[in-house]
């Protein structure tokens, strides 16, 4: 980087001396002025066109790409997760207990809130129950969310406070886990989670410092925009307040939780154009594979007779779609199982054609679903990391259904808008690990939900999921590109090829720029070769 780049105050630059991937093609140089990409081309033409005050920034032979976009993550839950008991990869009840005890030693009076357990990783393949948690504490609330966020286990203290017993009916869109005699096991699924008193559930809400830290960490991966799903009033107020102070490290596009619809009127004026905007409304058609609440056409292979559940009534979903579209917002419907996909597609098809409609996850798409998808063609927002994270999927779905899971190549071939995302905290925020999963479809141990090489993507296709396609999914097709007219959101990588960047991940990110301003610079000594 030249000295001028080190000053980094002008909202732009003439980027030369490397290679620029615009999202469409490669160029020698890029000109960003007033926060907007104004030209790409040869070094000579860019230098000739630049304004006199625009600094020249030499990228030292490296590669420059559009800023990355995560089209679907949960901002508050991601912030909270770093303050909760981390139960990811816990393999035994003893380890679960040890992690909770360790956390308790520094959080003496707080309720115990944790997340990340997965019974498929536990040695006995059984989810923890209230009995396991009661052995840890009966005089303090314990709420432990499953990795997917669609199930949780609570101790008896919480069950008593919720007044849940054998006679309590399952809520609409949810389920209470029960023993053979009908008494609650402490496991709660989907809508039943909402009955946990909010004061415990959100025991560790983020503050402004935590928000700033979180956005800074996103920028260190090269992320310049995010879709903040299930946003509630607290989150919107905090982010907008921060955005009014000055430009954010990462642009935030809210998808308001369908439950928070009424608050929109009082929140909408807080938005800051280009920084913290309302993009859409998020509603749930079903749950998750892990919790066996994803809604299937035929029963789970490992739970005969169970087909999952409809997380919202048809009426609720219909209202969410119409409510969003009347206000120019994007309806974003969570659908994982093939039955949920068909229901959502039917609702989309019934209504007059909207500007842009999203299906979140679109995980299971057998031929019968693809046929309907072809007619409706919504934008699909997927999480490539799930291909490796859900390596146990064959247990749930059996063959041949697993073959129809996470069909990214099939979607691209059919010309769908396919956006990439992390669904953080359900999987790591790291967009590079997502791209790697989209390309390799296996983790280092070779595990995969559906390893089919026919569904794997090239590095450039994987990048398109996290750039132009994700921009389109946020309702901003100008994002995720460095073609003239796009915002000057870019990442300088310390490598020469996209393949190398994906292999190296975050370590390849030297700098991240948003709207022509530098928002991240790798610490020296932490630079890519
Ligand atoms: Zn999500």
């Amino acid at each position: 980087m030249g000295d001028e780049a080190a000053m980094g105050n002008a909202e732009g630059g003439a980027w030369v001396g490397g290679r620029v991937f615009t999202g469409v093609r490669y160029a020698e140089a890029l000109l960003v002025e007033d926060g907007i990409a104004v030209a790409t081309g040869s070094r000579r033409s860019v230098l000739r066109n630049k304004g006199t005050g625009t600094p020249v920034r030499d990228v030292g032979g490296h590669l420059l790409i559009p800023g990355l976009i995560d089209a679907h993550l949960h901002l508050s839950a991601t912030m909270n997760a770093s303050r909760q008991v981390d139960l990811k990869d816990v393999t035994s009840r003893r380890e679960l207990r040890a992690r909770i005890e360790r956390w308790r030693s520094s959080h003496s009076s707080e309720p115990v809130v944790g997340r990340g357990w997965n019974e498929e990783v536990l040695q006995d393949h059984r989810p923890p129950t209230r009995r396991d948690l009661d052995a840890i504490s009966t005089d303090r609330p314990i709420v432990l969310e499953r990795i997917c966020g669609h199930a949780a286990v609570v101790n008896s203290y919480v069950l008593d406070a919720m007044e849940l017993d054998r006679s309590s009916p399952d809520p609409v869109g949810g389920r209470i886990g029960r023993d053979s005699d009908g008494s609650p096991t402490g496991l709660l699924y989907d809508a039943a989670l909402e009955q946990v008193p909010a004061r415990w559930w959100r025991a560790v809400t983020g503050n402004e410092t935590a928000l700033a830290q979180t956005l800074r960490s996103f920028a260190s991966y090269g992320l310049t925009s995010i879709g903040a799903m299930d946003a509630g009033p607290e989150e919107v107020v905090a982010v907008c307040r921060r955005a009014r102070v000055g430009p954010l490290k990462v642009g935030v596009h809210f998808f308001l939780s369908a439950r928070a619809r009424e608050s929109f009127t009082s929140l909408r004026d807080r938005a800051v154009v280009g920084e913290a905007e309302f993009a859409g409304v998020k509603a749930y058609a079903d749950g998750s594979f892990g919790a066996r609440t994803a809604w299937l056409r035929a029963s789970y292979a490992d739970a005969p007779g169970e087909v999952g559940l409809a997380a919202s009534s048809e009426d609720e979903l219909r209202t969410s779609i119409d409510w969003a579209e009347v206000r120019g917002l994007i309806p974003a419907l969570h659908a994982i199982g093939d039955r949920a996909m068909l229901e959502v597609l039917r609702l989309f098809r019934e209504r007059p054609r909207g500007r842009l409609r999203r299906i979140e996850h679109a995980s299971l798409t057998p031929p019968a679903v693809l046929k309907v998808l072809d007619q409706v063609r919504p934008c699909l927002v997927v999480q490539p990391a799930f291909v490796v994270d859900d390596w146990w999927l064959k247990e749930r779905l059996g063959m041949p259904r697993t073959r129809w899971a996470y069909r990214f190549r099939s979607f691209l071939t059919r010309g769908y808008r396919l956006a990439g995302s992390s669904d953080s905290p359900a999987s790591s925020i790291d967009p590079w690990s997502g791209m790697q999963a989209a390309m390799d479809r296996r983790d280092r141990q070779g595990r995969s939900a559906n390893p089919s090489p026919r569904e794997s993507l090239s590095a450039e296709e994987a990048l398109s999921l996290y750039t132009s396609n994700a921009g389109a999914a946020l309702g901003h097709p100008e994002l995720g590109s460095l073609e003239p007219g796009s915002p000057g959101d870019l990442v300088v990588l310390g490598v020469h090829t996209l393949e190398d960047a994906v292999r190296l991940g975050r370590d390849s990110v030297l700098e991240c720029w948003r709207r022509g301003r530098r928002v991240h610079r790798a610490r020296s000594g932490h630079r890519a070769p």
Side-chain angles (χ1 to χ4, degrees):
M1 297 289 116
D3 286 337
E4 284 161 309
M7 292 191 292
N9 46 12
E11 291 185 4
W15 304 86
V16 299
R19 237 171 22 130
V20 177
F21 181 59
T22 67
V24 180
R25 60 210 160 83
Y26 285 90
E28 226 175 67
L30 165 74
L31 181 60
V32 175
E33 290 185 328
D34 299 324
I36 302 289
V38 289
T40 55
S42 70
R43 176 193 176 99
R44 255 178 69 192
S45 74
V46 160
L47 289 179
R48 195 174 46 223
N49 285 323
K50 82 174 189 66
T52 43
T54 306
V56 177
R57 308 184 191 279
D58 194 310
V59 297
H62 292 144
L63 180 64
L64 204 148
I65 61 167
L68 303 179
I69 302 167
D70 187 322
H72 176 138
L73 60 79
H74 301 264
L75 184 56
S76 295
T78 299
M79 283 162 58
N80 286 344
S82 63
R83 283 158 181 74
Q84 297 169 346
V85 193
D86 177 10
L87 301 172
K88 209 165 169 236
D89 302 322
V90 160
T91 57
S92 68
R93 275 164 182 68
R94 190 199 289 182
E95 193 188 346
L96 180 99
R97 185 183 183 134
R99 290 211 198 172
I100 290 174
E101 299 294 359
R102 207 177 313 133
W103 185 90
R104 279 219 301 186
S105 62
S106 54
H107 300 77
S108 55
S109 61
E110 291 170 48
V112 179
V113 183
R115 80 166 287 146
W117 61 269
N118 179 356
E119 67 270 40
E120 297 306 322
V121 180
L122 281 165
Q123 281 148 1
D124 61 4
H125 289 242
R126 282 192 309 107
T129 65
R130 83 184 148 87
R131 278 177 223 290
D132 299 309
L133 306 194
D134 287 348
I136 300 168
S137 178
T138 48
D139 55 13
R140 233 211 262 196
I142 305 182
V143 182
L144 306 179
E145 228 178 321
R146 197 182 180 282
I147 179 80
C148 61
H150 288 270
V153 61
V154 301
N155 65 349
S156 294
Y157 186 99
V158 176
L159 286 180
D160 290 346
M162 292 169 73
E163 294 176 3
L164 281 191
D165 58 30
R166 208 187 299 194
S167 62
S168 312
D170 286 346
V172 176
R175 196 168 73 215
I176 297 163
R178 295 172 199 275
D179 282 335
S180 48
D181 72 345
S183 50
T185 57
L187 282 156
L188 304 170
Y189 298 90
D190 289 278
L193 271 66
E194 289 160 31
Q195 300 180 341
V196 177
R199 64 181 186 281
W200 299 331
W201 194 239
R202 304 185 202 294
V204 274
T205 32
N207 55 26
E208 243 174 88
T209 319
L211 174 65
Q213 263 170 17
T214 304
L215 296 182
R216 203 179 309 133
S217 116
F218 290 177
S220 74
Y221 288 98
L223 287 166
T224 50
S225 301
I226 57 166
M229 309 310 288
D230 271 333
E234 267 185 356
E235 178 178 315
V236 171
V237 168
V239 175
C240 293
R241 195 189 297 138
R242 188 78 193 67
R244 291 201 176 271
V245 179
L248 299 174
K249 299 264 183 200
V250 177
V252 180
H253 300 257
F254 300 114
F255 284 78
L256 204 60
S257 160
R259 288 186 300 276
R261 280 196 309 252
E262 300 76 47
S263 58
F264 181 64
T265 328
S266 64
L267 293 173
R268 67 185 311 169
D269 291 338
R270 293 176 187 260
V272 180
V273 176
E275 296 294 326
E277 297 182 353
F278 287 95
V281 172
K282 160 91 180 290
Y284 288 87
D286 67 345
S288 75
F289 289 136
R292 289 191 199 85
T293 53
W295 197 12
L296 304 179
R297 291 186 304 160
S299 37
Y300 280 87
D302 56 2
E306 279 187 37
V307 294
L309 55 81
S312 310
S313 72
E314 198 179 306
D315 247 16
E316 275 166 12
L317 293 180
R318 206 175 269 135
T319 306
S320 288
I321 298 170
D322 292 343
W323 187 91
E325 294 191 332
V326 160
R327 288 159 183 80
L329 297 170
I330 304 162
L333 270 58
H334 167 118
I336 286 186
D338 49 0
R339 176 76 196 273
M341 285 291 294
L342 287 175
E343 291 298 319
V344 168
L345 289 169
R346 183 170 57 79
L347 291 178
F348 278 166
R349 193 154 61 164
E350 267 177 9
R351 341 218 51 73
R353 201 174 270 279
R355 182 177 59 119
L356 169 66
R357 288 161 174 170
R358 299 188 8 166
I359 295 186
E360 312 302 306
H361 311 301
S363 307
L364 188 59
T365 51
V369 174
L370 273 191
K371 219 168 102 186
V372 189
L373 256 180
D374 278 341
Q375 293 153 20
V376 183
R377 307 187 69 79
C379 170
L380 304 178
V381 181
V382 298
Q383 297 70 36
F386 287 5
V387 180
V388 294
D389 288 354
D390 294 0
W391 49 266
W392 38 264
L393 192 62
K394 203 157 47 158
E395 306 288 317
R396 292 281 188 281
L397 299 182
M399 282 303 213
R401 263 191 303 193
T402 317
R403 286 209 321 260
W404 313 126
Y406 307 126
R407 306 179 66 189
F408 308 146
R409 154 76 51 200
S410 300
F411 294 150
L412 279 185
T413 307
R414 300 169 105 86
Y416 299 149
R417 275 290 184 188
L418 184 65
S421 67
S422 65
D423 199 12
S424 171
S427 82
S428 157
I429 183 69
D430 182 357
W432 301 100
S433 61
M435 284 183 248
Q436 181 140 47
M439 291 162 65
D440 300 346
R441 294 185 74 86
R442 287 176 187 275
D443 67 8
R444 285 206 188 88
Q445 288 108 290
R447 298 180 303 184
S448 173
N450 172 10
S452 171
R454 277 195 314 238
E455 296 294 349
S456 78
L457 305 184
S458 71
E460 280 167 15
E461 287 166 336
L463 181 71
S464 76
L465 266 55
Y466 291 87
T467 51
S468 51
N469 285 358
L474 298 180
H476 284 276
E478 77 283 6
L479 290 175
S481 163
L482 289 173
E483 288 291 311
S486 315
D489 298 354
L490 58 92
V491 189
V492 184
L493 299 169
V495 292
H496 302 279
T497 67
L498 270 180
E499 286 78 5
D500 285 347
V502 172
R503 198 168 312 126
L504 211 55
R506 174 157 65 164
D507 286 345
S508 72
V509 176
L510 295 184
E511 295 188 350
C512 182
W513 293 68
R514 182 164 178 267
R515 307 288 146 106
R517 301 158 61 105
R518 188 166 56 213
V519 290
H520 170 75
R521 185 180 207 180
R523 284 178 287 121
S524 45
H526 188 257
R527 296 201 152 195

